[in-house]
Each structure stands twice: as structure tokens, then as C-alpha cells.
Amino acid sequence: MAGPETFSLTSPQDPLVPAVRSPKTAELVANRLRRMIVDGELGDGDFLPREAELMAQFGVSRPTLREAVRVLESQRLVEVRRGSRTGARVRIPGPEIVARPAALLLELSGATLADVMTARIAIEPLAARLVAENGTKAAHQELERLVGEIPAARKNGELARASADLHVRLVQLSGNTTLAMIAGMLHEISERHTATAIRGTDNAVPKAEYDRLLRSYRRLLGLVVKRDGAGAEAHWRRHMENAAAALLKGLEKAKVRDIME
């Protein structure tokens, strides 16, 4: 049985460079459909054109087209309801598409909570600076709303959730897509870590510590509103370093897998 079609980037006489597999027709069709989604030609909730139209557009058979759609389905870019006549519908994924696999990889690698905190300390202060310097008025108002929700969250026993939400939204509001993606990947780990640390203090943050936390959040908000990027970055770095010391107390050697079960 013949193997997959290949072509070489160098002359056939070069034995050191392996041949490169040519993409299958279905993969090429999937790539074109993916580009249509990325470019906005197909939006979230849109149905792919009918099979007959796509077969004619790409000059492919029905089995090849269906294989291409399965490729997109495996990448969670389309949703196919079996037995439905409506076809495949575009589904634009959010951070959750990478969050759980990323958390699993961190678990499998034996990553520690300290390792995750170090990454967050590298990311969040820069995000604070970007929000202050480049954030829109709407972004600043959302940050103000998140800070304003902290007292009620504490009262309702949801301080860990509200705090984690504030941290991840701070990065998302920075306008940097890559930083936001990384923060989204770490969000569930961060929330579970915070909840675990709070449970270690009888499920309640002491009032003095809570007051310092709230003052720090309000201090950040004030710097952001003043568009003091350097001040926001420096303040949030101190905040994150202090938070790491508090959240890792008693969990210095804990691993991500310890809190994700």
C-alpha cells in the first residue's frame, strides 16, 4: 500500500533531510475554512455553507469535505449535531479551550503552586501598567466595579472567586491578547489556590488582612484612573509578592495537582 504523498525541500540525493508530507486535501479545505472563521467571514453561530456549495467551491468530494469538517470539529471550531439537516455551526472558543489542557499539562509536569505564582508575578504588574496607560474609560470603569464588589463577596463567602476574577480581568483589560490568554489558562488554578489558602485560615480572612487587601485594590484603582503606569506596575508587583507570601504559607511545596482534584 502506497504511503502518503511527500515532497523534499532539497535534492533527492540529500539523505540527511527527511521528506515533508504534503497536506491532505481535507486538511487544505479545513485550513481554508479556518481562515474564513479567523478573518470574520464566518462568525460565531453561523452555519457553514451547504455541502453542495462547499464541494463546488473547493472542487472536492463529499467524503473529503466531511473529513475537513471533522478536523474543525476536533479543534472545537465548529459544532455538528448528528442527524441534523442544518449542518455545522461555527463556535468561537474562549479561554476555556486551552485552560483545562494547560492545567492538565501543569499537573502532569509536577508544576508547583509557587511556580504558577512566579508566572503571575511576571504577568500581572505589566498588565496593570498597560491598563493604566492604554486602558479605555470602559476598562477603568469595569475595574472599579470589580473592586467595588469585593466587600459583598467577602460577606457572602465568595472572596476567593471575586479576587480571582479581579486578577484575571485586570490582565484581560490590558488589551494584550497574549497576556490575557495566559491569565485565562491560569485562572482556575489561581481561584482554587486562593480558596485552598483561605480554607487554611478557617474559611475566613482575618479582618486586618482583608482591610489591607481592599486598600491595595483601591490603591491600584486610583493609580489606574490617574493613568500612572509606572506607579500601577510597581504597586501591583508589591501586591503580588505579598500575596504570594500569604497564599503559599503552608503550601510551599504544594503542586498544582494537589488542588485540582
Side-chain angles (χ1 to χ4, degrees), residues 20-241:
V20 179
R21 182 181 68 82
S22 297
K24 294 171 61 177
T25 302
E27 293 173 341
L28 295 174
V29 174
N31 288 342
R32 176 65 186 113
L33 290 170
R34 187 186 305 108
R35 176 54 60 184
M36 292 171 67
I37 295 171
V38 171
D39 289 345
E41 296 178 47
L42 292 168
D44 188 43
D46 289 347
F47 285 100
L48 297 186
R50 295 185 180 277
E51 283 189 342
E53 296 177 38
L54 292 174
M55 288 163 58
Q57 179 179 347
F58 296 117
V60 297
S61 65
R62 180 171 278 106
T64 296
L65 177 61
R66 290 183 175 179
E67 184 180 351
V69 172
R70 283 195 294 271
V71 170
L72 296 178
E73 188 179 15
S74 70
Q75 297 169 347
R76 299 176 67 178
L77 285 174
V78 301
E79 176 184 74
V80 180
R81 294 186 178 180
R82 307 302 174 193
S84 171
R85 296 184 179 182
T86 55
R89 172 174 279 180
V90 174
R91 290 301 185 199
I92 305 300
E96 69 280 355
I97 195 173
V98 292
R100 293 314 303 243
L104 177 59
L105 287 175
L106 287 172
E107 290 182 65
L108 292 171
S109 69
T112 63
L113 296 179
D115 184 274
V116 173
M117 285 299 305
T118 298
R120 292 178 60 199
I121 291 171
I123 292 168
E124 292 193 27
L126 174 58
R129 183 181 195 122
L130 293 174
V131 174
E133 294 180 347
N134 306 323
T136 63
K137 183 177 180 180
H140 291 182
Q141 289 174 338
E142 180 168 355
L143 183 61
E144 182 177 8
R145 177 184 64 79
L146 291 167
V147 172
E149 290 177 351
I150 294 297
R154 178 179 184 252
K155 182 178 180 180
N156 296 330
E158 297 181 344
L159 182 59
R161 188 268 312 158
S163 179
D165 286 350
L166 188 152
H167 281 261
V168 72
R169 285 301 291 152
L170 173 67
V171 182
Q172 291 168 346
L173 293 170
S174 73
N176 187 290
T177 303
T178 305
L179 290 180
M181 186 66 67
I182 296 172
M185 289 165 52
L186 299 177
H187 176 57
E188 184 178 2
I189 298 172
S190 302
E191 182 174 351
R192 291 197 181 202
H193 179 189
T194 302
T196 300
I198 290 176
R199 282 198 298 271
T201 57
D202 297 325
N203 202 30
V205 176
K207 186 177 186 305
E209 292 183 18
Y210 165 75
D211 288 343
R212 284 195 295 271
L213 177 70
L214 187 57
R215 283 198 301 271
S216 182
Y217 285 160
R218 288 172 173 167
R219 172 64 175 161
L220 171 68
L221 177 62
L223 292 167
V224 166
V225 171
K226 291 179 181 177
R227 296 199 177 275
D228 182 353
E233 181 176 13
H235 169 71
W236 205 241
R237 187 172 303 281
R238 289 191 300 271
H239 174 96
M240 291 299 297
E241 289 170 350

